[in-house]
Structures are given as structure tokens and as C-alpha cells.
Amino acid sequence: MIPYGRQDISQADIDAVTDVLKSDFLTQGPAIPRFEASVAKRVGAIHALAMNSATSALHAAVAALGVGPGDVVWTSPITFVASANCARYCGAEVDFVDIDPDTFNMSADALETKLTHAKAQGRLPKVVIPVHMGGQSPDMARIHALCASEGIGIVEDASHSIGASYRDQPVGACLYSDITVFSFHPVKIITTAEGGMATTNNPDLASRMDLLRSHGVTRDEAMMDVPTHGPWYYQQISLGWNYRLTDIQAALGLSQIDRLDDFVDTRNRMAERYDVLLADLPVVRPGRITGARSSFHLYVVRLPEADSVRHRRVFEALRAGGIGVNLHYIPVHLHPYYAAQGFALGDFPQSEDYYNRAISIPLHPNLTQAEQDTVVSTLRAALS
């Protein structure tokens, strides 16, 4: 089976992890701040905070922005459920903004229309979470302009997009958002096995996320309500969580980020090759937006028409042919948990049309040209 995604672990990665295993610190040691500094420098952000998953980072991000009961958070229906769940963890309601059919990202046109209606009803969102679907940035400049005029916070769910760029700036620089979140799951661009990172240029948000990721506990006397009792003393000053990354994971991330540019270059070359190989097949190739470079975490093809029976038949034929295709994603509003909150089929037609046509085909740094050829020939047979 040719997998749709796969980590690339080098001897240098193994050596970096082994060095930490032989050191005095397996967690809460020096590898974590080094990894954070490396990511911050790479993406052009002032602050970076490592966490044990991108889900944790999303939760900490919306909590740091003050999301709570009575608030509403908007995100895209085409994403993993964590992009919405993070708001529910804070007691907020969730709503969705339909996607652009070419890029699969939150549609800025749909956002503008929804904001106009929400403002008239006095029900604007507290935070909007645009998702970088497949590694390509949404139209963040326009999304930022729409939200900033209403005082709406923005968290970029860039779980797919470390190494990508938008308007000649690295994704994660937070030029058009309050916070950006990355994922380091094994199938992502770089990996820490499991892990995530939040970047921001706002020192107050950085301080809040730092506190929240570690139980709400501080050793900073300036944050305490009484003078310290001694060098052992700490206080819990808010309700936080154990969202910390380990030094073992940070060491792997530090080693991996040295190859980030190579990984992204390789993925782009493969995507361009797929563009050529698929040109004569009856599928729709992924669109691009001007001024952005995708990290190509995913390469999603779509059947020309929404046909759930044919869609499943093609998908199953590919799996039977040894191609480890996947479908990213089931529209979040159609999951039973969100359907129970009042969402229904027909609410977000572009996302639902996407779901009935999309197939993620294999793309990862170790994929060979021969394997790409096999993917395309198997797809050709499945389509026929």
C-alpha cells in the first residue's frame, strides 16, 4: 500500500532523540525553548509556544483570546473537528463559514456576507478560525480586514502549513492574525511524533498561553498575590492544563526543522508533477491562490460531479489497487455531535459538494516518481 502521507525520519533525527534520552532532562528541559526559538525565527514571529498537540494549541489560543460561554467562534466546515472543538472546550458556540470551491479554504466572500448578517442580528463572532486546508493559506489579508473592522480575533489553523508562505511572508508570522497554530503529527510537514506550536507577536497572548499550557501555575513572583515563600514556591493563578511538549519531542522537531525547506520543495515538485500527469484525466486538480506558496501537506483531486455512488466506487478501487487514499475531511457540521446542535445537510453546500467529490492521493517526501506513476495509472483505471 502506498500511503497518502508518511513521516521522514533520518539518522540525525534518531541521534537527536538519543542525545536527549541520555541527558538529564526528558521534559521541561533546554530542548523545548531551543525548538520554540527555531520555529519563531523560521516563521518570523516574536513568540512561539510548544504544546503536546495542535488541538491543545488551538484550545489555549482561543482561551487566551477570552473565548467563553456566550461567545461564538466561526471556522470552516472542511477541517478536522479540533478546529471547532477548541471553542466548545471553552463553552462557546460554533458556527461555520462555507469554503471557496477552488482552494477548499474559508471563502472570504461567504465570510463577508455572514458578518453582515451577524452584525445586523448583534451576534458577531468573538474569534474566526480560518483553516489552511492542505497547506495553502486562505486569503488572510481580506479575512483580516473584514474581522479587524469589527474587533474580531483571528486564529489561523495552519496545522498543514509550516513552511508555506502568503504574500512573500512565512505562514506563522501573524501579520493577519492574533495567533497561528501548527501541527507536528507524523503525516504533517515536520514531526515531533505528536505536538503543536502556537506563534504570536502579542506578549500578553504569549504569557496567557504559557500559563494555560502548564496547569495555570507560575513561579514568577510578579504574578503572585503574596511574596514568595522561598525558591520552592509556586502558585496556581488560573485554571490551566497539562499541554506541555517533552524534550524528546522537541529534539526531534529541532532536527526536522533543519530539513523544512527541502520537505516543502519536494512536496511542491511532486504536486507540479501530479498537475501534469493528471491533466488528461476527468478530475479537478487543486487550485492555487496568487501570491501564496502551499506546503502541500495534501494533494486533493475531485471528481467532476458530486456523485456519492461513483465517489465511493473510485475510492474503493484505489484502495483495492494498493493506493492508500484518504478523504480530508467530512464536513464538521454533519457529524452527529454538531448535527445535534442544529446543523443539517444543506447548510454549507460548497463543503458538502466537496465531500462528495474529494479524494486525497499520496504525497509525502519519500514518494518516488514510479509510485506517483502507479497512483495515476490506478486512478485512471478506477475512473474508467
Side-chain angles (χ1 to χ4, degrees), residues 74-151:
W74 293 358
T75 189
S76 167
I78 299 300
T79 183
F80 188 58
V81 293
S83 308
N85 289 351
C86 61
R88 297 294 297 145
Y89 299 154
C90 296
E93 295 179 27
V94 172
D95 202 350
F96 302 94
V97 180
D98 213 349
I99 62 168
D100 179 293
D102 293 325
T103 66
F104 325 139
N105 285 326
M106 179 182 287
S107 165
D109 287 341
L111 176 63
E112 183 173 19
T113 300
K114 196 176 183 86
L115 284 172
T116 299
H117 292 159
K119 187 175 183 179
Q121 297 166 356
R123 193 62 171 141
L124 286 168
K126 176 89 170 185
V127 170
V128 169
I129 305 177
V131 177
H132 293 233
M133 177 61 186
Q136 179 168 223
S137 175
D139 188 357
M140 289 307 307
R142 188 170 170 209
I143 290 172
H144 177 264
L146 290 168
C147 291
S149 64
E150 303 296 345

Side-chain angles (χ1 to χ4, degrees), residues 210-280:
D210 186 28
L211 192 66
L212 290 169
R213 68 174 170 175
S214 191
H215 304 282
V217 165
T218 185
R219 293 181 181 274
D220 183 353
E221 188 173 0
M223 300 176 72
M224 297 179 184
D225 65 347
V226 297
T228 181
H229 297 179
W232 65 86
Y233 193 61
Y234 60 87
Q235 285 188 343
Q236 182 187 346
I237 61 174
S238 67
L239 182 62
W241 314 283
N242 184 3
Y243 282 172
R244 296 172 302 210
L245 196 72
T246 68
D247 272 52
I248 298 168
Q249 294 167 296
L252 177 55
L254 268 168
S255 180
Q256 286 259 307
I257 204 167
D258 285 342
R259 293 188 286 153
L260 177 58
D261 289 337
D262 289 340
F263 285 152
V264 173
D265 287 347
T266 298
R267 287 174 175 272
N268 272 270
R269 284 196 301 271
M270 290 177 175
E272 290 164 5
R273 190 166 187 269
Y274 268 141
D275 287 345
V276 174
L277 293 173
L278 296 169
D280 67 334

Side-chain angles (χ1 to χ4, degrees), residues 304-316:
E305 296 177 352
D307 180 338
S308 59
V309 173
R310 184 166 188 253
H311 185 218
R312 179 168 180 170
R313 186 163 59 242
V314 171
F315 189 97
E316 290 179 341

Side-chain angles (χ1 to χ4, degrees), residues 154-173:
I154 299 176
V155 175
E156 294 180 72
D157 184 347
S159 293
H160 297 178
S161 289
I162 193 165
S165 63
Y166 173 76
R167 293 196 171 187
D168 298 322
Q169 295 295 321
V171 169

